Amino acid sequence: LLVESPVNAFHGYEQQIISIECTEGSSLQGNFAVSFKGESTPALNYDISFNTFQIALESLQGIGDLMVVRKHSENFAHISWTVIFLEQLGNVQSFEVNSDGLSCLDEI
């Protein structure tokens, strides 16, 4: 798992991408957690919807309102969530992701 660099749409609003990826021919399984300024979400299923992910992130203290967009491959080998901070302009502390509960399952 990695948190990529902010992207440049929505000028002035911080955007971060949380991306999970397995190698070709495998798919994700398990869960992960996201932390912001020392506070963490509960375990989140790898295929969490954008809406449920947004609610989980917005429950973290001090994060404010967000917009979340999810993209994924057909077999869920790659999933990404673009998170746009709607109330915080400029540089915002990066998310930290705990991916210990995630694994890649080889497809037969």
Side-chain angles (χ1 to χ4, degrees):
L1 270 188
L2 62 106
V3 177
E4 297 178 5
S5 301
V7 292
N8 293 321
F10 281 61
H11 185 68
Y13 292 95
E14 174 79 5
Q15 297 184 48
Q16 296 181 23
I17 298 173
I18 298 172
S19 182
I20 306 168
E21 188 170 0
C22 285
T23 59
E24 180 103 15
S26 60
S27 58
L28 285 161
Q29 63 180 8
N31 56 61
F32 65 102
V34 178
S35 297
F36 182 75
K37 295 184 177 180
E39 190 174 353
S40 185
T41 65
L44 305 170
N45 199 39
Y46 76 94
D47 61 350
I48 188 170
S49 71
F50 76 92
N51 190 37
T52 305
F53 190 59
Q54 180 174 323
I55 291 167
L57 292 178
E58 287 178 343
S59 73
L60 300 176
Q61 187 70 23
I63 205 165
D65 289 337
L66 304 171
M67 178 188 300
V68 175
V69 178
R70 181 182 85 165
K71 296 180 182 179
H72 62 85
S73 62
E74 187 174 322
N75 66 346
F76 284 92
H78 177 265
I79 307 170
S80 67
W81 296 267
T82 301
V83 180
I84 303 166
F85 292 78
L86 299 176
E87 295 184 21
Q88 300 188 43
L89 297 175
N91 293 329
V92 176
Q93 182 174 330
S94 294
F95 289 115
E96 294 181 24
V97 180
N98 179 337
S99 60
D100 291 345
L102 288 173
S103 60
C104 295
L105 179 65
D106 290 334
E107 297 178 351
I108 299 174

